[in-house]
Amino acid sequence: MGNLSTPLRVQKLQMALHAKAKAETDYRFYVLYDKLYREDILAHAYACCRANKGALGVDGQSFADIEAYGVERWLGELALALREDTYRPDPIRRVYIPKPNGKLRPLGLSTLRDRVCMTAAMLVIEPIFEADLPDEQYAYRSGRNAQRAVIEVKDHLYHGHPDVVDADLADYFGTIPHAELLKSVARRIVDRRVLHLITMWLECPVEETDKRGRTKRTTEAKDHRCGIPQGSPISPLLSNLYMRRFVLAWKKLGLEQRLGSRIVTYADDLVILCRRGKAEEALQWMRKVMGQLKLTVNEDKTRVCNVLEDEFDFLGYTFGLQYRPQTVRSIWASGHRRKALGAWSKRSMP
């Protein structure tokens, strides 16, 4: 949310929701929708979107356009649409951005109206689900980031988990099944209007413009009943919520103890660190659990390795073993973020 400070009244609401969810793990929230169109919630949601900037949606409306029209007036009309249940999301504009490997990643650009509405929803429901997310998940969470995930991986390697399942999922965001995802949401949220909002966002049509300037609109998400658009304000929470299913299933099956395994995930990046000789079994179990979740393991990019003999990459770092003077062995992590690792990257392996 940038460097914006959350208004005190919004903070109090978030703290109350989080505390309730944390204290009562089976509690379900029935009345949340009216919070979404509160004046302070929508104003802060607009400020967050304004700070994050972003490209234009299908309607071409910019922040300058809204400010010329009048922000309070614009937010008031959005609040009215939400209150009267006349709000309907616009199609998502799809663009492609280059990935480090030379391929292209699809990015969904919602209109500013939809972004503000999604952000308002996030301000209300994210504190509830944050109370449920396990420690193994590091993406899109306050106080957690890629750097902490890398540190966690390195710590597990040092403490007796040298065998690694270096996993890759095929199009994770694009294959998350809607029905199962909405069950995860409904486990906590019973408010029908909030669930309807999320369903509409999941089923939004997508517009693409080809090189000749021709626009094509598709309803693939609604037709196939799967996929969440990367780039929308709500997709990080929803992706975390579905990956939570994998982490909990792994623990429920007793695989953490049986294989001496530790999971570290960052969005769709995933590694499973195991005791020696257990990685192959962990890989077989991962395939089975992911299949039950209707997710596909990318077999071309998924492998097992022993960090004492091989290397693997995770979040831009390469982990491996190096020999230092006086025959001291050390796990190292290097990559485009090597400087950020600092002194801890030189710790000796026991």
Side-chain angles (χ1 to χ4, degrees), residues 17-315:
L17 292 170
H18 180 80
K20 185 68 173 178
K22 197 73 174 175
E24 300 182 39
T25 56
D26 294 326
Y27 186 83
R28 305 177 78 191
F29 293 81
Y30 285 83
V31 183
L32 293 173
Y33 187 81
D34 62 315
K35 314 292 189 298
L36 271 59
Y37 54 78
R38 265 178 33 176
E39 184 178 349
D40 56 340
I41 295 284
L42 282 178
H44 187 54
Y46 178 85
C48 291
C49 292
R50 185 75 174 85
N52 289 336
K53 300 178 182 179
L56 305 180
V58 295
D59 62 356
Q61 187 177 52
S62 67
F63 287 107
D65 295 331
I66 295 172
E67 284 154 17
Y69 182 77
V71 174
E72 288 187 11
R73 177 184 174 190
W74 187 85
L75 289 175
E77 291 173 359
L78 176 56
L80 182 63
L82 286 168
R83 185 162 47 250
E84 295 184 348
D85 292 322
T86 59
Y87 166 82
R88 297 293 180 273
D90 293 305
I92 295 169
R93 183 166 75 93
R94 177 177 288 166
V95 298
Y96 293 88
I97 58 174
K99 296 169 66 175
N101 61 8
K103 295 183 179 181
L104 296 175
R105 181 190 302 276
L107 190 67
L109 301 174
S110 300
T111 61
L112 297 184
R113 184 170 180 263
D114 293 336
R115 272 183 250 172
V116 170
C117 193
M118 288 182 201
T119 303
M122 283 288 294
L123 290 171
V124 175
I125 69 173
E126 187 174 41
I128 296 170
F129 291 112
E130 174 59 32
D132 295 335
L133 294 180
D135 292 340
E136 289 84 352
Q137 294 183 258
Y138 284 84
Y140 318 123
R141 300 177 66 185
S142 178
R144 291 173 173 266
N145 52 35
Q147 181 71 16
R148 289 181 178 271
V150 169
I151 293 172
E152 186 74 7
V153 169
K154 198 154 187 287
D155 284 346
H156 288 318
L157 292 173
Y158 271 114
H159 292 94
H161 300 83
D163 282 13
V164 180
V165 178
D166 179 12
D168 187 84
L169 298 177
D171 190 19
Y172 173 64
F173 285 84
T175 57
I176 293 175
H178 290 174
E180 286 78 3
L181 173 61
L182 287 169
K183 285 180 183 177
S184 294
V185 176
R187 186 186 62 82
R188 277 296 201 176
I189 296 177
V190 192
D191 190 318
R192 290 180 178 274
R193 292 194 291 177
V194 173
L195 294 174
H196 179 61
L197 265 185
I198 295 173
T199 301
M200 287 195 296
W201 291 328
L202 289 174
E203 296 180 348
C204 269
V206 173
E207 282 192 6
E208 290 187 59
T209 303
D210 63 21
K211 295 179 179 178
R212 297 183 180 181
R214 296 176 299 188
T215 299
K216 178 179 71 172
R217 180 178 294 187
T218 61
T219 56
E220 56 192 41
K222 184 176 182 179
D223 296 341
H224 299 294
R225 298 179 181 178
C226 66
I228 58 177
Q230 291 191 66
S232 72
I234 202 156
S235 65
L237 173 62
L238 296 181
S239 67
N240 269 349
L241 202 52
Y242 202 67
M243 185 60 75
R244 173 182 179 272
R245 283 193 162 204
F246 171 74
V247 176
L248 294 189
W250 192 266
K251 293 180 178 181
K252 188 175 181 179
L253 290 167
L255 298 172
E256 190 172 57
Q257 287 75 28
R258 190 192 315 175
L259 306 178
S261 60
R262 300 293 183 268
I263 294 171
V264 179
T265 75
Y266 189 91
D268 56 344
D269 287 308
L270 166 71
V271 290
I272 305 172
L273 304 111
C274 310
R275 292 196 306 263
R276 293 193 189 197
K278 296 295 184 179
E280 285 290 351
E281 186 178 354
L283 175 57
Q284 296 304 319
W285 275 107
M286 187 199 72
R287 290 187 180 119
K288 182 177 180 179
V289 175
M290 288 299 183
Q292 291 172 343
L293 294 174
K294 300 182 181 180
L295 299 173
T296 303
V297 177
N298 185 341
E299 298 292 349
D300 292 336
K301 294 183 178 180
T302 297
R303 67 190 186 98
V304 299
C305 77
N306 183 297
V307 77
L308 304 179
E309 302 168 358
D310 201 354
E311 300 174 355
F312 70 95
D313 295 330
F314 183 62
L315 300 180

Side-chain angles (χ1 to χ4, degrees), residues 1 3-12 14 44 48 123:
M1 296 296 183
N3 294 319
L4 290 172
S5 58
T6 305
L8 182 59
R9 190 161 173 256
V10 177
Q11 284 185 42
K12 287 182 177 179
Q14 292 177 323
H44 187 54
C48 291
L123 290 171

